[in-house]
């Protein structure tokens, strides 16, 4: 495949070759290698064509492939289609944090290239207010948070205060909005409802979840025990950790809970991905009994059900 891509100057010839590949019989690792080769050799149209043929066969590399697809579309200046794909992905209730940031950066790149002042489907102030106060549609809520990242949130403090007190909103979205406020250095005390418990929070005094000791220490345990053998599952583990910490926020883990939550995430993914790993082996790795992590597993399931 590499020789064909490197030796052929015609993308049409490459596309003909790609059409003859029996995709369903290929390992996912082989498919992602083809995508990467096409992109690295600037065969953007062929890469787009192959991704369109094979996207349904990507399980562990789905977001990476969508990222490459939109990069290719931007390279050939098909900004409309790239924007539509990004809008659809960013409206999903769950997206890995790493790729959420990458996709938002691509939206900004599209806007810069098309001289647009707002992200796709920019909302009016009235629409933002209505969604913050009334909507229970997570697609709309996510869109508002993305919009607020490029606006002055100080113009919406009363609406945001009410949003934080709504008890029908997943905590993950509230934490996302706190991150936006922190980046804008908002120094304002809010009341914050998490599962009926009311806390007082000030965004400027809060920490990014990815810099907290709870995240860093648990992530280290997951990396040491998942990253080498199962890099794709490790990425899912990191996102589950973010969802779990968001579910608990503004509470943080106690130090003796770090190994338990890492154990629980690994246990949950072991069953989800049918890993060949016994409960006893996990107990030895993390130093806990399986019975000690059942409550954490239940919380992970709730946190991940966005």
């Amino acid at each position: 495949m590499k020789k064909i891509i490197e030796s052929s100057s015609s993308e049409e010839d490459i596309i003909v070759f790609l059409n003859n590949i029996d995709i369903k019989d290929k390992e996912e690792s082989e498919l992602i290698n083809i995508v990467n080769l096409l992109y690295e050799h600037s065969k953007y149209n062929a890469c787009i064509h192959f991704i369109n043929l094979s996207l349904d066969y990507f399980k562990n590399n789905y977001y990476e492939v969508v990222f490459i697809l939109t990069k290719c579309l931007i390279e050939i200046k098909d900004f409309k289609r790239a924007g539509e794909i990004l809008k659809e992905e960013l409206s999903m209730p769950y997206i890995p944090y790493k790729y959420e940031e990458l996709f938002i950066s691509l939206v900004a790149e599209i806007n810069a290239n098309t001289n647009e002042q707002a992200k796709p489907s920019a909302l009016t102030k009235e629409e933002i207010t209505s969604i913050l106060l009334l909507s229970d549609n997570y697609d709309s809520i996510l869109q508002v948070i993305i919009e607020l990242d490029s606006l002055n949130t100080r113009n919406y403090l009363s609406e945001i205060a009410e949003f934080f007190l709504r008890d029908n909103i997943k905590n993950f979205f509230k934490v996302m909005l706190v991150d936006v406020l922190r980046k804008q250095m908002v120094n304002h005390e809010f009341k914050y409802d998490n599962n009926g418990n009311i806390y007082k929070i000030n965004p400027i005094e809060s920490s990014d979840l990815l810099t907290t000791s709870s995240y860093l220490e648990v992530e280290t345990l997951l990396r040491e025990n998942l990253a080498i053998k199962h890099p794709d599952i490790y990425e899912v583990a990191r996102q589950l950790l973010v969802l779990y910490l968001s579910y608990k926020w503004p509470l943080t883990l106690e130090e003796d809970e770090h190994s338990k939550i890492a154990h629980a995430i690994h246990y949950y993914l072991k069953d989800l991905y049918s890993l060949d790993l016994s409960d006893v082996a996990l107990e030895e790795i993390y130093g806990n009994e399986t019975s000690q992590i059942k409550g954490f597993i239940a919380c992970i399931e709730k946190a991940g059900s966005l």
Side-chain angles (χ1 to χ4, degrees):
M1 184 70 206
K2 185 175 181 181
K3 289 182 180 179
I4 292 171
I5 293 173
E6 291 177 340
S7 62
S8 176
S9 58
S10 167
E11 287 201 78
E12 288 76 12
D13 291 343
I14 295 175
I15 288 172
V16 170
F17 176 80
L18 294 172
N19 286 338
N20 291 318
I21 294 177
D22 192 353
I23 293 172
K24 66 179 182 296
D25 288 337
K26 294 285 185 183
E27 296 289 334
E28 186 173 342
S29 59
E30 296 178 88
L31 297 178
I32 190 66
N33 284 339
I34 295 172
V35 169
N36 285 327
L37 277 171
L38 291 167
Y39 180 71
E40 289 165 5
H41 288 82
S42 303
K43 305 299 183 182
Y44 301 124
N45 286 293
C47 191
I48 292 166
H49 179 77
F50 184 71
I51 291 174
N52 287 335
L53 291 175
S54 61
L55 188 58
D56 290 342
Y57 294 90
F58 288 99
K59 179 180 179 182
N60 298 317
N61 296 282
Y62 173 80
Y63 290 103
E64 180 66 19
V65 172
V66 171
F67 175 69
I68 293 173
L69 172 60
T70 51
K71 287 289 288 182
C72 288
L73 290 166
I74 290 170
E75 290 288 349
I76 67 170
K77 301 189 184 306
D78 190 347
F79 300 121
K80 181 180 179 182
R81 187 178 170 208
E84 290 171 349
I85 291 171
L86 292 169
K87 176 186 173 183
E88 182 178 355
E89 292 299 331
L90 287 168
S91 70
M92 293 294 104
Y94 171 74
I95 177 172
Y97 185 80
K98 168 188 172 183
Y99 289 101
E100 179 187 358
E101 290 192 323
L102 288 173
F103 290 169
I104 290 174
S105 72
L106 289 181
V107 171
E109 185 176 343
I110 291 170
N111 291 338
N113 278 281
T114 56
N115 295 317
E116 294 178 0
Q117 296 302 311
K119 296 181 177 69
S121 302
L123 300 168
T124 65
K125 184 172 183 178
E126 291 73 20
E127 288 171 329
I128 290 173
T129 296
S130 176
I131 291 169
L132 285 172
L133 298 182
L134 301 171
S135 179
D136 57 2
N137 182 290
Y138 288 154
D139 292 349
S140 299
I141 291 169
L142 180 60
Q143 186 180 10
V144 161
I145 294 171
I146 292 170
E147 292 286 341
L148 287 173
D149 195 35
S150 62
L151 300 174
N152 185 349
T153 54
R154 291 167 180 82
N155 294 327
Y156 298 90
L157 291 184
S158 62
E159 292 87 350
I160 290 171
E162 292 194 43
F163 178 79
F164 283 148
L165 285 173
R166 292 180 60 190
D167 59 5
N168 61 332
I169 302 297
K170 290 280 187 179
N171 211 39
F172 175 72
F173 297 102
K174 294 182 181 180
V175 172
M176 284 184 66
L177 186 49
V178 172
D179 288 339
V180 171
L181 296 169
R182 184 191 311 111
K183 285 192 291 183
Q184 296 188 17
M185 303 294 287
V186 172
N187 186 6
H188 183 88
E189 186 173 89
F190 296 93
K191 289 183 179 179
Y192 184 100
D193 184 313
N194 181 357
N195 294 313
N197 298 309
I198 306 298
Y199 304 92
K200 290 182 178 180
I201 61 132
N202 188 333
I204 201 172
E205 295 174 357
S206 65
S207 299
D208 184 336
L209 283 182
L210 301 187
T211 67
T212 61
S213 60
S214 292
Y215 175 83
L216 294 173
E217 294 189 26
V218 176
E219 190 274 337
T220 297
L221 289 170
L222 292 170
R223 176 162 26 89
E224 290 173 347
N225 294 293
L226 269 173
I228 295 177
K229 290 185 177 180
H230 306 286
D232 296 322
I233 296 176
Y234 161 66
E235 287 300 321
V236 178
R238 289 177 63 244
Q239 304 316 317
L240 277 176
L241 174 57
V242 170
L243 288 173
Y244 177 84
L245 294 176
S246 297
Y247 178 77
K248 289 291 187 178
W249 199 87
L251 300 178
T252 57
L253 295 175
E254 298 293 334
E255 189 171 348
D256 64 353
E257 293 178 315
H258 293 159
S259 67
K260 291 184 176 64
I261 186 61
H263 186 172
I265 289 173
H266 201 152
Y267 183 97
Y268 177 78
L269 292 175
K270 172 182 75 73
D271 286 351
L272 187 65
Y273 288 95
S274 301
L275 298 181
D276 186 17
L277 190 65
S278 70
D279 292 355
V280 173
L282 279 180
E283 289 177 346
E284 292 176 352
I285 290 171
Y286 293 104
N288 311 295
E289 294 181 4
T290 303
S291 60
Q292 294 177 294
I293 63 166
K294 293 297 185 181
F296 291 99
I297 295 170
C299 283
I300 289 166
E301 291 173 343
K302 290 179 182 178
S305 62
L306 291 177

